[in-house]
Amino acid sequence: MTDVSELAHIAIEIAREAGALARRRRDEGVEIAATKSSMADIVTEADREVESLIRDRLRSMRPEDGFVGEESEPETGTSGITWIVDPIDGTVNYAYGIPAYAVSIAAVRGTPEPDKWTALAGVVFNPVTAEIFHASLGNGSWLGGRRIAVNDAPSPAGALLGTGFGYDPRSHAGDLARVARVMPLARDIRRFGSAALDLCAVAAGRLDGYFERGLKPWDHAAGALIVTEAGGRVSVGHERDEFGRVLVVASNSLLFDSLFSSASGD
Ligand code: LIP
């Protein structure tokens, strides 16, 4: 029987060390190492260095587990557990010095694909605010030592919603059309620039809901568990748009169906 609390404890310890490294490198000055899917999709030397630290720590603490990270080749383990890692989620914020980026580490059981895995533990750590969100399956969601829950008291003013836009400029018209469809539900929209922190904001009741097309498994693996363990609902879609992007929707249970329906219309 897997001790999910132990997996969360390991992820918390490593996320804190990795976050401290990311912040140190940010303070020293950030170098763009390369671009990926588009000119806007950047990777920094720190992304690579932080993921390497996380991978090394996991290899020594959990040598039989698999690994899937944003910046390095996947590795299949023998334990049935795989670590899904985004070393610095909110990379563009990080490069610009905006204090909204996070280390995201999740442990999942089964095939490491979002529609097949069972998330067991998730940690999202913002090293600038020192806020660490964490959850393990069946044990609730926490911000540090404080229990958190989604906001299930809808405001008559409407929902405060988070979203994001893809790196491919060709996808922006569709993204904006999606925002227009969702707007009748909203009092306002926030675009923080880190999916992991957006999902944690839903879990903590700082956002009523979040929707975005184009996330990768490492963007949402930890945050999605933190939402569901906080009493929320999360959908990671199967159908892909013309740019191959799936839709992620997360919110409290009261808002979910209407948000999912409006955000899915494309
Ligand atoms: C980012 C997400 C963000 C999304 C960006 C990008 P990255 O992840 O956190 O919500 O809008 O397009 O996917 O690239 O910083 O790890």
Side-chain angles (χ1 to χ4, degrees):
M1 180 71 176
T2 305
D3 181 346
V4 294
S5 300
E6 176 58 19
L7 294 176
H9 177 75
I10 288 170
I12 288 169
E13 182 184 328
I14 295 174
R16 286 191 186 282
E17 183 183 3
L21 173 61
R23 182 158 185 188
R24 250 194 334 274
R25 293 293 180 258
R26 175 56 265 184
D27 293 345
E28 292 164 357
V30 169
E31 286 175 43
I32 307 299
T35 58
K36 298 186 284 190
S37 63
S38 72
M39 289 304 289
D41 187 2
I42 58 172
V43 56
T44 69
E45 289 299 345
D47 283 282
R48 292 173 172 167
E49 186 182 7
V50 171
E51 180 161 319
S52 175
L53 179 148
I54 295 169
R55 194 160 193 161
D56 289 347
R57 295 293 181 273
L58 288 171
R59 191 177 288 124
S60 62
M61 297 168 88
R62 298 277 307 185
E64 306 82 13
D65 294 352
F67 184 91
V68 171
E70 180 169 17
E71 309 304 347
S72 57
E73 287 306 308
E75 187 175 336
T76 305
T78 57
S79 66
I81 290 172
T82 302
W83 294 90
I84 314 290
V85 172
D86 190 339
I88 300 175
D89 185 67
T91 304
V92 174
N93 285 351
Y94 183 75
Y96 276 76
I98 297 172
Y101 58 89
V103 175
S104 179
I105 300 175
V108 303
R109 181 173 57 229
T111 304
E113 294 168 17
D115 58 343
K116 298 186 176 72
W117 75 42
T118 299
L120 302 178
V123 175
V124 174
F125 176 52
N126 180 337
V128 182
T129 64
E131 290 185 316
I132 191 156
F133 299 88
H134 56 97
S136 54
L137 185 62
N139 296 318
S141 284
W142 303 80
L143 171 52
R146 179 168 63 86
R147 192 75 180 259
I148 56 175
V150 294
N151 175 22
D152 54 12
S155 163
L160 187 62
L161 299 175
T163 192
F165 303 100
Y167 284 129
D168 185 335
R170 297 174 302 162
S171 66
H172 289 169
D175 291 340
L176 290 170
R178 186 173 314 107
V179 171
R181 283 199 309 277
V182 169
M183 210 62 206
L185 299 174
R187 68 185 300 165
D188 206 343
I189 297 283
R190 296 288 184 270
R191 201 296 194 232
F192 294 132
S194 162
L197 291 178
D198 288 327
L199 289 163
C200 290
V202 172
R206 296 175 178 174
L207 287 176
D208 297 306
Y210 165 69
F211 60 99
E212 183 166 354
R213 264 200 191 280
L215 299 186
K216 300 293 189 295
W218 42 78
D219 293 327
H220 60 73
L225 178 66
I226 293 168
V227 169
T228 54
E229 284 295 322
R233 289 177 62 185
V234 178
S235 163
V236 179
H238 300 278
E239 53 86 22
R240 295 179 179 277
D241 69 359
E242 61 184 304
F243 304 102
R245 307 180 304 163
V246 298
L247 176 69
V248 172
V249 177
S251 78
N252 60 51
S253 50
L254 293 169
L255 176 67
F256 186 85
D257 290 341
S258 52
L259 178 59
F260 179 83
S261 169
S262 301
S264 304
D266 49 5

